[in-house]
Amino acid sequence: MSRVHLEAQGPVAVLRLTHPPLNAFDSVQRQELAEAARDLADARDVRAVVLYGGERLFAAGADIKALAAMGAEEIRGWNRALQRTFDEVARLPMPVVAAITGYALGGGLELALCADYRVAAEDVVLGQPEVLLGIIPGSGGTQRLTRLLGPARTKNLLMTGRNVRAEEALRIGLVDEVVPAGQVLATALAYARTLADGPAAALEAIKEAVDHGADTAVSTGLALERSLFTGVFGTADAATGLRSFLEHGPGRAKFGGDAGHDDTKEEGEA
């Protein structure tokens, strides 16, 4: 049975982990996630992605039993592959929304950190408990958490291995929205659909500017922003948006959704 499932819902794709009971990452699930990420990166009809682990939980982390049986060289290769896979998810050109239910621990939280926006259930439990096993996060926890929360909060979470509940997660910015457990997927899908209606090239450029600019000097980030800003002016969506603003005012443009596809019809046109 497949451990990662892709389901298209119009322009939104749901990337679901399906490895019960805990969606624990092993080599098979890692490989299937990598294949799904590559498929999504090349999918011109997908405008946004929702990461989901199911109604019960998001993902409880790595398969500890499998890791405990590995030697140092095998661990290094396994970790390198998982880092690369998560990075492929983080680098998807379209917006990615994580729908987090139940538990997102260890590698599960590290995968959620690859998303651009995180919707969490009000009973969610998040954490990086690796230190309690005498190890450290290895798939982005020390790096993506630091960029999201800052060094002090990240060290606190990683050095204690403590659990974080929804209220605190929202307060410190670990998640972006908290909703009742039964509404997590629907809320994530609704937000993803809103983004999917936007200009695809501009959304991709925003993601690239923010993600890559944050790791550089301000001057380098501004140069990247300038290049991306200039580039989106050549897209059909930019032509649509600018013309719509001049003719109808702000917020009325109906975008075609593909930088190379000239769909310039406005709302109400045949």
Side-chain angles (χ1 to χ4, degrees), residues 100 102 118-127 149 153 157 162-180:
I100 309 172
R118 283 166 286 279
V119 179
E122 58 190 4
D123 60 351
V124 78
V125 177
L126 311 169
L149 305 181
R153 278 180 170 155
L157 295 184
R162 66 183 181 86
N163 290 335
V164 178
R165 305 287 175 170
E167 182 179 356
E168 181 185 4
L170 183 63
R171 176 172 54 81
I172 65 177
L174 185 54
V175 302
D176 302 290
E177 190 172 354
V178 173
V179 299

Side-chain angles (χ1 to χ4, degrees), residues 15-18 23 51-59 99 101:
L15 195 167
R16 178 169 179 171
L17 305 178
T18 53
N23 286 334
L51 286 175
Y52 184 52
E55 296 179 0
R56 182 169 174 266
L57 84 168
F58 186 75
T101 55

